Amino acid sequence: MPRHFLDLALVFGCAVLWTQPSAADGALAIALPDDVVKVGFAYGTGYNYPTAGEAQQKALENCKKTKSDVRKKLCAIINTFKNQCFAVAMDPADGTPGVGWAVAADLRSSEAEALAKCEATAGPGRRAACKVDSSGCDGTAK
């Protein structure tokens, strides 16, 4: 094989690798009071950040955007992740206990797990009301 073909293959290979997303970090913050029905629930995410610290800071910042001072104080990082997907599911009606969240290798798995957790906490009369409220993927996950 002529030398210029090898050089071209090397340049093309480097270009493909160069365009791939860089390593990214994500975090999930949750405010889960003892009584979700009375106090409510809050969460925040930060993903596709260059460092875990930045992802955690953004997740906490987003969680603390809640109007409730009680929930603001409860916001805490419950999961960090890299090249994974997250989902948060909840019953959208006020005064209901259904909430769930998950981090998994792919979006479909994280959404299914979050919905299952929401349905488990929602109670028999509200299971069907659970919906994915937010989901996304970090880095190279899909």
Side-chain angles (χ1 to χ4, degrees):
M1 184 180 275
R3 171 87 180 146
H4 67 280
F5 285 118
L6 292 175
D7 290 342
L8 184 59
L10 180 62
V11 168
F12 179 73
C14 289
V16 168
L17 290 174
W18 187 267
T19 61
Q20 296 298 314
S22 61
D25 283 284
L28 177 60
I30 300 290
L32 187 64
D34 290 335
D35 190 343
V36 173
V37 173
K38 286 184 182 177
V39 181
F41 163 79
Y43 71 92
T45 61
Y47 57 103
N48 286 320
Y49 281 86
T51 68
E54 289 174 279
Q56 290 176 36
Q57 181 180 350
K58 188 62 173 179
L60 283 171
E61 179 183 307
N62 286 334
C63 185
K64 291 179 180 183
K65 287 181 179 176
T66 181
K67 294 177 183 173
S68 165
D69 287 336
V70 172
R71 290 189 306 253
K72 284 179 188 177
K73 290 177 186 175
L74 292 173
C75 287
I77 299 295
I78 56 104
N79 206 326
T80 59
F81 50 94
K82 183 184 287 279
N83 295 323
Q84 291 183 296
C85 299
F86 75 91
V88 177
M90 61 174 49
D91 180 339
D94 288 338
T96 58
V99 297
W101 57 88
V103 173
D106 59 78
L107 189 61
R108 182 175 289 176
S109 297
S110 66
E111 288 180 346
E113 189 177 332
L115 277 171
K117 289 178 179 178
C118 179
E119 290 166 357
T121 59
R126 296 293 306 172
R127 286 187 180 120
C130 288
K131 304 282 185 241
V132 172
D133 189 63
S134 180
S135 63
C137 294
D138 178 71
T140 59
K142 293 183 177 170

